[in-house]
């Protein structure tokens, strides 16, 4: 029965993945790329009309979308509007069709004329997902198939309290999902100074960063002895991300069975590309690992003896030394233990030691909170709330509203239990503390609440499974019959797979740093010339210092300084809306756009600059590019 259900789930997963794959092929692979040569297009149109026996062209215009081009032709005989649409593969010729003409022309353009227009239209095309292999879609499809397989294996083993082959298969399957989600991020170049500063502190001074605790730097220090490559620096964060995922699954398994473990693991894996941590070497998954360990430690209140209390104290300290925001979690834990002690459910000694540890940790955290009050504001209040919402699973898939809602209901219903009260208060306290820190101290963004995402998905998975089991029990009792294992398992399988189909499938691209790989060449070139550097990013000097250290042409410690001495006088920050320095600039210069949220504006800037500026190195044209490193001539 177990493997029959697993095979059925695998079959459903293949079907869902095929629908996702087909959707990707229909509109996401081949796109019109940047770099349109307007003069070349006009010459082509004039030659095409002349060769097709059409009326003389007087003027033309149009617009370029991601997959459609609309061309408006004004001729001596009237007006023609033509649409050119790309096929899924760039190797196939586009399709052109006449949308309208005034007056209605007879004989032009013919179908053969339109095929000629589409086949030779000179705007460059770009195949996303590594060409016709559809690699991006393939990863999403494989992710869905493996996720459904994990859930299928979990359904028959739901109430098995002991470790089994099924448990191992589910955990291994989810770890494969973690790898699929994380793989492209591992090799992405850095395009902000956040990860390079963290690499520098890890390599030179683990206690040197006032704004972040030392433990993540200490964990990553051995890696810096071996390599400064981005993939190497992300190995330790990936290890903690994997551990956090498995531990969250174990917590869900304790309260909701194997289905809850599988659902929680699949959902959390779906969030990886949206989370801060892996891309920027953040401390969220390190702190999150200790957060879930605290949850595991309090799930069985009756087992809080001296050894477990000592472990609680150690985990609190390790958590706060991984992320300052963990002081909020520690405070919630101490408060929950205090409630248990007041109600006589726990000995006062269980509360005392964690309380003393929390007080000591709070002193360190308060010092950082006070220092942050003098830092410049990074985001507006509106942006803070928008970023908080972006961290929620609902933003990835609105259908996650159902399991998240069921999880909240389950937490409220079981609020008298220590673990559920701890989770519920953390889900309230961490966003609240983030806003208080924004008002009174310093935060970089609303993504801070991502610390408790594993807690939210733990509750969502357990609450969902409890709701499904409750409905099935009610149906059995309402029918007046006894439980039939086959019927119950079939119904459970159907409901869980239906829920999975609604909540699993979207796997975002994540931050890829596309274009920032050219910073390596820029860092090397600037050692042998004194050309000025214009950029929209204040992070650029540190990024260049890191690239020099990575290539053995500088010291990693220089990254901590605002700018290497030879770059300080050459570095010029552009006004927010400026494409390039004013026309009074003399001589050649470098122009760098980095990590901009105004991707379309910067792409238009590159098009306006035209032949004046070119990529410092040959690059593949990509519509998802967010970084440009250009070498420019004087105006």
């Amino acid at each position: 029965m177990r493997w029959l259900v697993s095979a059925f789930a695998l079959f459903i997963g293949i079907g869902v993945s095929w629908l996702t794959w087909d959707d990707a092929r229909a509109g996401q692979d081949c796109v019109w790329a940047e770099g349109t040569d307007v003069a070349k297009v006009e010459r082509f149109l004039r030659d095409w009309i002349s060769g097709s026996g059409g009326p003389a062209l007087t003027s033309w215009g149009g617009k370029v979308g991601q997959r459609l081009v609309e061309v408006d032709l004004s001729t001596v005989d009237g007006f023609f509007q033509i649409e050119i649409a790309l096929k899924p593969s760039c190797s196939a010729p586009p399709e052109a069709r006449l949308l309208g003409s005034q007056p209605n022309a007879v004989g032009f353009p013919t179908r053969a004329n339109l095929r000629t227009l589409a086949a030779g239209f000179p705007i460059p095309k770009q195949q996303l997902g590594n060409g016709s292999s559809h690699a991006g879609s393939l990863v999403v499809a494989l992710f869905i198939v493996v996720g459904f397989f994990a859930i299928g294996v979990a359904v028959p083993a739901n109430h098995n309290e002991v470790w089994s082959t099924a448990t191992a298969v589910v955990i291994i399957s989810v770890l494969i999902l973690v790898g699929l989600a994380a793989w492209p991020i591992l090799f992405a170049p850095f395009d902000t100074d956040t990860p390079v500063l963290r690499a520098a502190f890890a390599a030179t001074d683990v206690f040197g960063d006032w704004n972040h605790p030392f433990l993540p730097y200490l964990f990553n220090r051995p890696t810096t002895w071996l390599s400064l490559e981005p993939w190497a620096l992300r190995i330790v964060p990936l290890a903690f991300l994997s551990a956090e995922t498995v531990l969250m699954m174990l917590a869900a398994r304790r309260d909701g069975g194997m289905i809850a473990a599988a659902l929680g693991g699949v959902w959390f894996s779906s969030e990886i590309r949206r989370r801060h941590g892996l891309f920027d070497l953040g401390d969220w998954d390190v702190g999150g690992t200790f957060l879930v360990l605290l949850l595991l430690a309090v799930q069985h209140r009756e087992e809080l003896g001296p050894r477990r209390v000592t472990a609680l104290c150690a985990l609190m300290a390790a958590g706060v030394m991984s992320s300052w925001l963990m002081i909020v979690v520690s405070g919630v834990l101490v408060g929950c233990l205090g409630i248990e002690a007041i109600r006589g459910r726990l000995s006062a000694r269980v509360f005392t030691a964690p309380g003393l540890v929390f007080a000591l940790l709070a002193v360190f955290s308060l010092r950082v909170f006070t220092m942050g009050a003098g830092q410049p504001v990074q985001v507006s209040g509106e942006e803070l709330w928008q970023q908080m919402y972006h961290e929620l699973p609902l933003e990835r898939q609105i259908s996650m509203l159902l399991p998240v809602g069921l999880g909240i209901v389950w937490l409220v219903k079981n609020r008298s239990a220590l673990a559920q009260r701890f989770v519920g208060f953390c889900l309230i306290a961490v966003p609240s503390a983030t806003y208080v820190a924004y008002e009174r101290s310093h935060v970089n963004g609303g993504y801070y609440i991502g610390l408790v995402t594993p807690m939210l998905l733990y509750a969502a998975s357990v609450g969902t499974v409890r709701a499904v089991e409750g409905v099935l029990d009610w149906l059995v009792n309402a029918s007046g019959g006894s439980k039939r294992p086959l019927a119950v398992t079939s119904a459970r399988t159907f409901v869980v797979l239906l829920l999975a189909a609604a909540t699993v499938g979207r796997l975002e691209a994540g931050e890829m740093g596309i274009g920032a790989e050219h910073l390596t060449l820029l860092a090397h070139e600037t050692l042998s010339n004194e050309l000025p550097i214009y950029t929209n990013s204040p992070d650029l000097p540190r990024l260049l210092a890191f690239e020099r250290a990575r290539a053995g042409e500088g010291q990693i410690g220089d990254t901590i300084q605002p700018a290497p001495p030879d770059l300080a006088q050459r570095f010029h920050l552009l006004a927010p809306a400026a494409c390039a320095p004013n026309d009074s600039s003399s001589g050649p210069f470098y122009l760098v756009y980095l990590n901009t949220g105004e991707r379309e504006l910067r792409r238009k800037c590159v098009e306006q600059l035209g032949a004046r500026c070119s990529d410092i190195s040959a690059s593949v044209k990509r519509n998802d590019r967010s970084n440009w490193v250009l070498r420019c001539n004087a105006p």
Side-chain angles (χ1 to χ4, degrees):
M1 181 66 182
R2 175 185 302 173
W3 298 112
L4 181 63
V5 172
S6 302
F8 178 71
L10 185 62
F11 174 77
I12 297 298
I14 293 173
V16 173
S17 68
W18 172 250
L19 293 176
T20 305
W21 171 266
D22 189 58
D23 178 67
R25 290 195 304 171
Q28 298 298 327
D29 281 354
C30 187
V31 298
W32 297 109
E34 59 192 42
T36 303
D37 187 333
V38 177
K40 185 177 180 180
V41 173
E42 181 171 343
R43 288 194 302 270
F44 172 81
L45 290 174
R46 291 187 182 278
D47 292 342
W48 171 72
I49 292 176
S50 175
S52 302
L57 182 68
T58 58
S59 64
W60 71 282
K63 56 185 179 181
V64 180
Q66 191 172 24
R67 294 172 294 279
L68 296 175
V69 168
E70 187 179 293
V71 183
D72 302 326
L73 304 175
S74 296
T75 71
V76 294
D77 284 350
F79 175 79
F80 301 87
Q81 189 176 53
I82 300 173
E83 178 186 83
I84 304 174
L86 290 172
K87 296 292 183 63
S89 173
C90 289
S91 61
E95 180 178 347
R97 65 189 183 99
L98 182 65
L99 298 179
S101 62
Q102 296 177 355
N104 293 325
V106 178
F108 175 83
T110 65
R111 290 185 179 180
N113 297 152
L114 291 174
R115 285 196 296 269
T116 302
L117 171 68
F121 200 69
I123 294 182
K125 300 184 289 291
Q126 179 217 337
Q127 186 82 51
L128 300 180
N130 292 330
S132 58
S133 65
H134 307 283
S137 302
L138 180 60
V139 169
V140 175
L142 187 58
F143 185 95
I144 294 171
V145 170
V146 175
F148 269 77
F149 175 71
I151 293 170
V153 172
V155 171
N158 189 47
H159 298 294
N160 189 356
E161 297 295 333
V162 299
W163 282 86
S164 63
T165 302
T167 304
V169 169
V170 171
I171 290 176
I172 292 172
S173 298
V174 171
L175 287 176
I176 292 173
L177 297 182
V178 172
L180 288 172
W183 184 257
I185 301 176
L186 289 178
F187 302 95
F190 298 143
D191 59 3
T192 70
D193 67 356
T194 300
V196 301
L197 278 171
R198 286 173 170 161
F201 282 119
T204 61
D205 186 1
V206 297
F207 297 101
D209 185 2
W210 70 269
N211 197 32
H212 298 92
F214 74 95
L215 206 52
Y217 298 139
L218 185 63
F219 287 138
N220 220 13
R221 183 151 201 171
T223 305
T224 64
W225 299 338
L226 303 175
S227 175
L228 291 176
E229 294 295 319
W231 65 265
L233 294 170
R234 291 182 174 121
I235 289 176
V236 171
L238 177 61
F240 276 96
L241 174 63
S242 302
E244 179 183 22
T245 306
V246 172
L247 291 171
M248 186 270 292
M249 292 175 64
L250 296 180
R253 180 177 179 270
R254 283 184 176 181
D255 289 325
M258 280 305 303
I259 298 178
L263 286 174
V266 173
W267 287 337
F268 188 66
S269 300
S270 300
E271 298 293 319
I272 287 174
R273 293 188 184 178
R274 305 187 329 111
R275 286 175 60 78
H276 285 69
L278 190 59
F279 180 81
D280 60 358
L281 308 185
D283 49 30
W284 303 111
D285 293 314
V286 181
T289 299
F290 293 112
L291 170 75
V292 183
L293 283 170
L294 285 172
L295 171 60
L296 286 166
V298 299
Q299 276 187 309
H300 296 294
R301 179 183 59 202
E302 64 279 2
E303 297 179 8
L304 288 178
R307 290 185 178 179
R308 184 156 295 197
V309 170
T310 302
L312 279 179
C313 294
L315 291 173
M316 287 169 56
V320 175
M321 291 301 106
S322 298
S323 171
W324 293 123
L325 194 57
M326 279 291 292
I327 191 64
V328 178
V329 173
S330 298
V332 169
L333 176 60
V334 170
C336 290
L337 293 175
I339 292 174
E340 295 294 301
I342 291 172
R343 292 180 175 178
R345 298 175 179 174
L346 285 178
S347 168
R349 291 177 296 179
V350 173
F351 164 77
T352 303
L356 293 175
V357 172
F358 169 73
L360 182 62
L361 295 171
V363 172
F364 289 102
S365 302
L366 183 62
R367 179 182 64 87
V368 176
F369 184 88
T370 304
M371 293 175 66
Q375 300 300 311
V377 176
Q378 298 289 323
V379 295
S380 67
E382 181 180 359
E383 290 173 328
L384 183 77
W385 290 110
Q386 289 175 347
Q387 291 171 4
M388 284 188 184
Y389 176 76
H390 180 77
E391 285 297 312
L392 295 175
L394 313 183
E395 206 275 340
R396 174 184 61 84
Q397 201 98 334
I398 192 62
S399 54
M400 284 298 297
L401 181 63
L402 176 61
V404 168
L406 292 174
I408 293 173
V409 170
W410 175 71
L411 290 175
V412 173
K413 184 178 178 181
N414 295 274
R415 61 189 180 276
S416 60
L418 174 59
Q420 283 71 59
R421 186 189 302 121
F422 172 53
V423 171
F425 282 155
C426 281
L427 294 179
I428 297 172
V430 168
S432 301
T434 300
Y435 182 75
V436 170
Y438 168 77
E439 290 288 344
R440 302 295 181 183
S441 182
H442 171 75
V443 295
N444 288 318
Y447 62 85
Y448 282 26
I449 70 167
L451 176 68
V452 291
T453 297
M455 275 188 163
L456 180 62
L457 293 178
Y458 148 80
S461 62
V462 176
T464 298
V465 171
R466 292 292 183 92
V468 170
E469 294 295 336
V471 171
L472 292 178
D473 288 342
W474 178 83
L475 290 174
V476 170
N477 293 332
S479 65
S482 59
K483 278 192 176 183
R484 297 179 180 178
L486 180 60
V488 172
T489 300
S490 300
R492 184 188 298 120
T493 302
F494 175 78
V495 173
V496 171
L497 292 181
L498 183 64
L499 179 67
T503 56
V504 180
R506 183 180 172 191
L507 194 63
E508 295 188 0
E511 297 183 72
M512 294 290 104
I514 297 168
E517 63 273 10
H518 299 319
L519 290 175
T520 303
L521 183 57
L522 178 62
H524 176 73
E525 280 195 12
T526 51
L527 287 170
S528 57
N529 65 47
E530 297 182 357
L531 298 182
I533 306 170
Y534 295 88
T535 182
N536 69 316
S537 173
D539 298 351
L540 180 60
R542 285 193 172 114
L543 286 164
L544 294 180
F546 172 78
E547 292 296 341
R548 289 177 177 178
R550 180 182 164 197
E553 297 175 331
Q555 299 298 319
I556 186 62
D558 294 341
T559 305
I560 298 175
Q561 305 304 318
D566 68 302
L567 295 177
Q569 301 302 319
R570 304 160 57 185
F571 171 73
H572 305 281
L573 197 61
L574 293 170
C579 286
N582 57 48
D583 290 343
S584 61
S585 304
S586 60
F589 59 91
Y590 294 109
L591 181 61
V592 182
Y593 302 139
L594 287 181
N595 194 36
T596 174
E598 303 169 332
R599 182 182 299 172
E600 291 303 318
L601 173 63
R602 294 303 172 184
R603 182 177 289 113
K604 290 179 180 178
C605 283
V606 174
E607 292 177 358
Q608 292 171 12
L609 292 167
R612 181 183 173 190
C613 298
S614 60
D615 277 306
I616 196 172
S617 178
S619 61
V620 176
K621 295 184 181 300
R622 296 187 56 156
N623 276 26
D624 55 351
R625 182 174 177 178
S626 57
N627 302 288
W628 287 264
V629 182
L630 309 173
R631 189 188 293 111
C632 302
N633 298 316

